[in-house]
Amino acid sequence: MQLRKVTAASAAVLALALTATACGSDDKDDSASGGGKKITVGIKIDQPGIGLKTPDGKYTGFDVDVATYVAKELGYDAKNIEFKETKSQDRETAISRGDVKFIVASYSINDERLKKVDFAGPYLLAHQDILVRADDDSIKKPEDLNNKKLCSVTGSTSAQNIHDTLAPKADLQEYGGYSECLTGLENKAVDALTTDDSILAGYASQDVNKGKFKLAGFKMTNENYGIGLKKGDADLKKKINDALTKMVSDGSWQKAVDANFGPAGYKNEKAPKIGNVVK
C-alpha cells in the first residue's frame, strides 16, 4: 500500500512538472503582448534607405527603424527581433502562414490587399516619382518624359503608368533591378528611373551615389505604407498603431526619415494620421 501511495504522489509531481514546462514553453513563441523571447518581422533586404541587409549581416533603413521601434513597444529587445526577407509577391502568404508576426516592407495599403490582410498605420505617405541625373534640367514635368528613355524594373507597373497616362511617347526600358537602372542613368543609357520616391531617395542617398542624382518631385501617385498583419488581429493592430503614434510624437519618426532619406534631398510628407489613407 505504501508503494502505491508513493507512486501516486510521484505521478502528481510529474504532472505538475509537465504543466509548468508547458507553460514555460510559451516564452519561445511570438507574442503580441511581448511575452515571447523572439519575434519575426518581415522586411525588404534589397532596398537602400528602406530595408537593406549589409554584407556584414546588419539591417538598415527606414522600415527597419520603424519595425525595431514597434517591436520594442510590444516588449521585444532589438537583439530578439528576427528579420525575415519578404518579397512583394510573398507578403500575404507569409502573414497567413504565420511566418512573420507583421511586415514592414514598403507595403502600400490598397483595397485588394485589404481582402487578405489587415494594416496598421499608415506610417509613411510616399509618391511615385522619377530620379534623374543631378545636372539634367530637361525634365521639369511628367510630360517631358515623352521621347525620353524611362527605366524601371521588370514586372513593375510604375513606368507603364506614366506611359499610359502622362507621357505616351516615353521609351520604356525594363532592367533586372534598380541598381542596373541607376548604372544606366549614370552612364546616360537611360534618362530617368521611376518608382516610389522613398525608394528612389534611398538609392540616391547611398554614399556611392551622393551628388549624382536628384528627385523630380512629381508626386504622381499616393502610396500609403502600412504594417501588414494577420486579418482580424485587432489587438495587435491597436498596439502597433499606438506604437506608431508614439514614434511620431517623440520625434523618432522624423529622426528616422532624416537619417535614411535626407542625403537625397527627399521632401517627405508629414507623418500621416493613423487610419488616414490618402487616395
Coordinates of all heavy atoms in Angstrom, one line a residue, residues 195-229:
T195 N 9.9 54.9 -59.6 CA 9.3 54.0 -58.7 C 8.9 55.0 -57.5 O 8.8 56.2 -57.7 CB 10.2 52.9 -58.2 OG1 9.4 52.0 -57.3 CG2 11.4 53.4 -57.4
D196 N 8.6 54.4 -56.3 CA 8.2 55.3 -55.2 C 9.4 56.2 -54.8 O 10.5 55.8 -54.8 CB 7.9 54.4 -54.0 CG 6.6 53.6 -54.2 OD1 6.0 53.7 -55.2 OD2 6.3 52.8 -53.2
D197 N 9.0 57.5 -54.5 CA 10.1 58.5 -54.1 C 10.9 58.0 -52.9 O 12.1 58.3 -52.9 CB 9.5 59.8 -53.9 CG 8.4 59.9 -52.9 OD1 8.1 58.9 -52.2 OD2 7.7 61.0 -52.7
S198 N 10.3 57.3 -52.0 CA 11.1 56.9 -50.8 C 12.2 55.9 -51.2 O 13.3 55.9 -50.7 CB 10.1 56.2 -49.8 OG 9.4 55.1 -50.4
I199 N 11.9 55.0 -52.2 CA 12.8 54.0 -52.7 C 13.9 54.7 -53.5 O 15.1 54.5 -53.3 CB 12.1 52.9 -53.5 CG1 11.2 52.1 -52.6 CG2 13.2 52.0 -54.2 CD1 10.3 51.2 -53.4
L200 N 13.5 55.7 -54.3 CA 14.5 56.4 -55.1 C 15.4 57.2 -54.2 O 16.6 57.3 -54.4 CB 13.8 57.4 -56.1 CG 12.9 56.7 -57.2 CD1 12.1 57.8 -57.9 CD2 13.8 55.9 -58.1
A201 N 14.9 57.8 -53.2 CA 15.7 58.6 -52.2 C 16.7 57.7 -51.5 O 17.8 58.1 -51.2 CB 14.8 59.3 -51.2
G202 N 16.3 56.5 -51.2 CA 17.2 55.6 -50.5 C 18.4 55.2 -51.4 O 19.5 55.2 -50.9
Y203 N 18.1 55.0 -52.6 CA 19.2 54.7 -53.5 C 20.1 55.9 -53.7 O 21.4 55.8 -53.7 CB 18.7 54.2 -54.9 CG 18.4 52.7 -54.9 CD1 17.1 52.3 -54.9 CD2 19.4 51.8 -55.1 CE1 16.8 50.9 -54.9 CE2 19.1 50.4 -55.1 CZ 17.8 50.0 -55.0 OH 17.5 48.7 -55.0
A204 N 19.5 57.0 -53.9 CA 20.3 58.3 -54.2 C 21.1 58.7 -52.9 O 22.1 59.4 -53.0 CB 19.4 59.4 -54.6
S205 N 20.7 58.2 -51.8 CA 21.4 58.6 -50.5 C 22.6 57.7 -50.2 O 23.3 58.0 -49.3 CB 20.4 58.5 -49.3 OG 19.4 59.5 -49.5
Q206 N 22.7 56.6 -50.9 CA 23.9 55.8 -50.7 C 25.2 56.6 -51.0 O 25.3 57.4 -51.8 CB 23.9 54.5 -51.6 CG 22.8 53.5 -51.3 CD 22.9 52.3 -52.2 OE1 22.6 52.4 -53.4 NE2 23.4 51.2 -51.6
D207 N 26.2 56.3 -50.2 CA 27.5 57.0 -50.3 C 28.0 57.0 -51.7 O 28.5 58.0 -52.2 CB 28.5 56.4 -49.3 CG 28.2 56.7 -47.9 OD1 27.5 57.7 -47.6 OD2 28.7 56.0 -47.0
V208 N 27.9 55.9 -52.4 CA 28.4 55.8 -53.7 C 27.6 56.6 -54.7 O 28.2 56.9 -55.8 CB 28.4 54.3 -54.2 CG1 27.0 53.8 -54.4 CG2 29.3 54.1 -55.4
N209 N 26.4 57.0 -54.4 CA 25.6 57.8 -55.3 C 25.4 59.2 -54.9 O 24.7 60.0 -55.7 CB 24.2 57.1 -55.4 CG 24.3 55.7 -56.1 OD1 25.1 55.5 -57.0 ND2 23.4 54.8 -55.6
K210 N 25.9 59.6 -53.8 CA 25.6 61.0 -53.3 C 26.1 62.0 -54.4 O 27.2 62.0 -54.9 CB 26.3 61.2 -52.0 CG 25.6 60.6 -50.8 CD 26.3 60.8 -49.5 CE 25.6 60.1 -48.4 NZ 26.3 60.3 -47.1
G211 N 25.2 63.0 -54.7 CA 25.5 64.1 -55.6 C 25.3 63.7 -57.1 O 25.4 64.6 -57.9
K212 N 25.0 62.5 -57.4 CA 24.9 62.1 -58.8 C 23.4 62.2 -59.3 O 23.2 62.5 -60.5 CB 25.3 60.6 -58.9 CG 26.8 60.3 -58.7 CD 27.1 58.9 -58.9 CE 28.5 58.6 -58.6 NZ 28.8 57.1 -58.8
F213 N 22.5 62.1 -58.4 CA 21.1 62.1 -58.9 C 20.2 63.0 -58.0 O 20.6 63.5 -57.0 CB 20.5 60.7 -58.8 CG 21.4 59.6 -59.4 CD1 22.1 58.7 -58.6 CD2 21.5 59.5 -60.8 CE1 22.9 57.7 -59.2 CE2 22.3 58.5 -61.3 CZ 23.0 57.6 -60.5
K214 N 19.0 63.3 -58.6 CA 18.0 64.1 -57.8 C 16.6 63.7 -58.1 O 16.3 63.1 -59.2 CB 18.2 65.6 -58.2 CG 17.9 65.9 -59.6 CD 18.1 67.4 -59.9 CE 17.9 67.7 -61.4 NZ 18.2 69.1 -61.7
L215 N 15.7 63.9 -57.2 CA 14.3 63.6 -57.3 C 13.6 64.7 -58.1 O 13.9 65.9 -57.8 CB 13.7 63.3 -56.0 CG 14.0 62.0 -55.3 CD1 13.7 62.2 -53.8 CD2 13.3 60.9 -55.9
A216 N 12.7 64.4 -59.0 CA 12.0 65.4 -59.7 C 10.9 66.1 -58.8 O 10.5 67.2 -59.0 CB 11.4 64.9 -61.0
G217 N 10.3 65.3 -57.9 CA 9.3 65.8 -57.0 C 7.9 65.9 -57.7 O 7.1 66.8 -57.4
F218 N 7.6 64.9 -58.6 CA 6.3 65.0 -59.4 C 5.1 64.5 -58.6 O 4.0 64.9 -58.9 CB 6.5 64.2 -60.6 CG 7.4 64.8 -61.7 CD1 8.0 64.0 -62.7 CD2 7.7 66.1 -61.6 CE1 8.8 64.6 -63.6 CE2 8.5 66.7 -62.6 CZ 9.1 65.9 -63.6
K219 N 5.3 63.6 -57.6 CA 4.2 63.1 -56.8 C 3.0 62.6 -57.7 O 1.9 63.1 -57.6 CB 3.7 64.1 -55.8 CG 4.8 64.6 -54.8 CD 4.3 65.6 -53.8 CE 5.4 65.9 -52.8 NZ 4.9 66.9 -51.7
M220 N 3.3 61.6 -58.5 CA 2.3 61.2 -59.5 C 1.2 60.2 -58.9 O 0.2 60.1 -59.5 CB 3.0 60.5 -60.6 CG 3.8 61.5 -61.4 SD 4.8 60.7 -62.8 CE 6.2 60.1 -61.8
T221 N 1.5 59.6 -57.8 CA 0.5 58.7 -57.1 C 0.7 58.9 -55.6 O 1.7 59.4 -55.1 CB 0.7 57.2 -57.5 OG1 2.0 56.8 -57.0 CG2 0.6 57.0 -59.0
N222 N -0.2 58.4 -54.8 CA -0.1 58.3 -53.4 C 0.1 56.8 -53.0 O -0.7 56.0 -53.3 CB -1.4 58.9 -52.7 CG -1.5 60.3 -53.0 OD1 -0.6 61.1 -53.0 ND2 -2.8 60.8 -53.1
E223 N 1.1 56.6 -52.2 CA 1.4 55.2 -51.7 C 1.5 55.3 -50.2 O 2.4 55.8 -49.6 CB 2.8 54.7 -52.3 CG 2.9 54.8 -53.8 CD 1.9 53.9 -54.5 OE1 1.5 52.9 -53.9 OE2 1.6 54.1 -55.7
N224 N 0.4 54.7 -49.6 CA 0.3 54.7 -48.1 C 1.0 53.5 -47.6 O 0.4 52.4 -47.7 CB -1.2 54.8 -47.7 CG -1.9 56.1 -48.2 OD1 -1.8 57.1 -47.5 ND2 -2.5 56.0 -49.3
Y225 N 2.1 53.6 -47.0 CA 2.8 52.4 -46.5 C 2.2 52.0 -45.1 O 2.1 52.9 -44.2 CB 4.3 52.7 -46.2 CG 5.1 52.8 -47.5 CD1 4.6 52.7 -48.8 CD2 6.5 53.0 -47.4 CE1 5.3 52.8 -49.9 CE2 7.3 53.1 -48.6 CZ 6.7 53.0 -49.8 OH 7.5 53.1 -51.0
G226 N 1.8 50.8 -45.0 CA 1.2 50.3 -43.8 C 2.0 49.1 -43.3 O 2.8 48.5 -44.0
I227 N 1.7 48.7 -42.1 CA 2.3 47.5 -41.5 C 1.3 46.3 -41.6 O 0.2 46.4 -41.0 CB 2.7 47.7 -40.0 CG1 3.8 48.8 -39.9 CG2 3.1 46.4 -39.3 CD1 4.3 49.1 -38.5
G228 N 1.6 45.3 -42.4 CA 0.7 44.2 -42.6 C 0.7 43.2 -41.5 O 1.8 42.9 -40.9
L229 N -0.5 42.8 -41.2 CA -0.6 41.7 -40.1 C -1.8 40.9 -40.4 O -2.6 41.1 -41.3 CB -0.7 42.4 -38.7 CG -2.0 43.3 -38.5 CD1 -2.5 43.2 -37.1 CD2 -1.6 44.8 -38.8

